[in-house]
Amino acid sequence: DLCARLRERLSPSGSQSTWVPPESFERKTTKYLVREEDVLRVKTMVIRHLPLLIFGRAQGTSKSVFRLSSVQDEMQNQKLHETQLITSVYFDNAGLDLYHTRLQREEGARLIRFRWYGERENDHSEVFIERKTHHESWVSEDSVKERFAVKDRNVKPFMDGSWLPDRMLTKEVRRGTRSQGSADKSLKLAKEVQEQLLSEGHTPKVRTTYARAAFQLATTNAVRISLDTNLCMINEQSAPIHPDT
């Protein structure tokens, strides 16, 4: 918060913003392994250049007088956290074709995963269905991540081909919370992902969970640094499938 206040004084415009995750964006990434004993050092180095993104909290809303106790009270009262639990389930077929094409970084290699943030508390919890497409440097297109959100209760019907988010998207357009163009794009993505899951026999293979600390401005997605800790990987192939999950 101290670094954030100094940054607000130097550039106060647009400081009262809450970050909203985009549905689709082009991306270029560079990844590094950090030793556990260096995690705190890396955080303090990064925060000099980018603010820590507190999920659910608007940047620039902190009080003008810095008191550690007030920050701790705010974090507890609003249930805010410096890291966010992220769970992802990755899909593939029996031959693990998606995995191998991604590993070899073939042009057009795709990845399909279901992701949620925090705990799935009930059937109204939000789950993001994502597709990442890799493009080589010699292709005119950049690599892209696309996704759309569904309620937890609709995940299994979507997987077995009995449900699509068309009605949900139509309601959002009528309520004015989504444009028609955005709805058409999400429905097209949903149909393509569902078709690939069913036609190529993709099923859950691996689940990952980790705590993510993100550093970025709430007003732009141009630059982001993420630091993931407490990584856990689970073999979904041997997991029992409950009829209601």
Side-chain angles (χ1 to χ4, degrees):
D1 270 30
L2 181 58
C3 290
R5 286 180 175 80
L6 292 174
R7 193 176 290 107
E8 289 168 22
R9 288 180 178 271
L10 294 174
S11 180
S13 61
S15 59
Q16 302 291 324
S17 301
T18 301
W19 178 70
V20 177
E23 289 187 344
S24 174
F25 58 90
E26 297 176 351
R27 53 190 292 147
K28 293 182 180 179
T29 60
T30 303
K31 299 182 180 181
Y32 303 94
L33 288 175
V34 177
R35 292 182 298 183
E36 187 174 0
E37 59 266 29
D38 293 329
V39 167
L40 181 59
R41 181 186 176 192
V42 170
K43 285 183 177 181
T44 56
M45 292 175 66
V46 172
I47 207 168
R48 299 174 188 174
H49 306 280
L50 285 173
L52 177 65
L53 185 66
I54 304 295
F55 297 98
R57 178 204 201 191
Q59 289 179 0
T61 57
S62 51
K63 299 179 177 61
S64 58
V65 179
F66 178 79
R67 291 196 302 272
L68 180 60
S69 59
S70 67
V71 175
Q72 292 173 331
D73 291 342
E74 179 189 8
M75 297 286 284
Q76 183 175 5
N77 294 337
Q78 298 186 32
K79 296 182 180 180
L80 304 175
H81 308 278
E82 70 167 290
T83 61
Q84 185 176 40
L85 177 65
I86 298 179
T87 304
S88 302
V89 176
Y90 292 83
F91 286 67
D92 212 332
N93 58 22
L96 302 180
D97 291 337
L98 295 185
Y99 168 75
H100 289 296
T101 55
R102 289 282 297 187
L103 189 65
Q104 297 168 13
R105 300 184 67 81
E106 295 182 8
E107 165 55 28
R110 285 179 170 174
L111 173 154
I112 295 176
R113 69 186 177 198
F114 289 17
R115 167 172 286 189
W116 60 92
Y117 300 89
E119 302 291 343
R120 289 167 64 183
E121 298 176 350
N122 51 57
D123 62 359
H124 294 284
S125 298
E126 201 168 45
V127 177
F128 291 92
I129 299 177
E130 302 182 348
R131 183 180 69 185
K132 296 173 67 176
T133 305
H134 169 73
H135 290 297
E136 290 289 279
S137 58
W138 49 267
V139 178
S140 58
E141 299 179 68
D142 290 327
S143 297
V144 63
K145 182 175 84 170
E146 306 164 281
R147 70 179 186 176
F148 60 96
V150 302
K151 297 299 183 183
D152 187 279
R153 64 178 180 272
N154 294 321
V155 169
K156 189 174 184 297
F158 176 82
M159 290 172 57
D160 62 28
S162 62
W163 182 87
L164 278 170
D166 47 351
R167 293 184 180 179
M168 178 191 73
L169 293 170
T170 299
K171 290 180 181 178
E172 292 178 0
V173 172
R174 289 175 179 172
R175 289 197 298 262
T177 58
R178 180 188 290 268
S179 68
Q180 186 62 56
S182 173
D184 292 342
K185 186 175 181 180
S186 292
L187 183 57
K188 179 177 181 292
L189 175 62
K191 290 180 178 179
E192 292 176 354
V193 171
Q194 187 180 78
E195 171 63 23
Q196 186 173 1
L197 291 178
L198 296 175
S199 64
E200 299 180 10
H202 294 302
T203 58
K205 299 298 182 187
V206 176
R207 178 186 302 221
T208 65
T209 63
Y210 48 82
R212 167 163 291 178
F215 302 84
Q216 78 170 76
L217 295 171
T219 54
T220 176
N221 295 296
V223 179
R224 184 183 206 192
I225 296 178
S226 300
L227 184 61
D228 300 332
T229 55
N230 301 327
L231 173 64
C232 178
M233 303 183 71
I234 302 170
N235 182 3
E236 284 285 307
Q237 296 183 89
S238 60
I241 300 178
H242 191 278
D244 296 327
T245 59

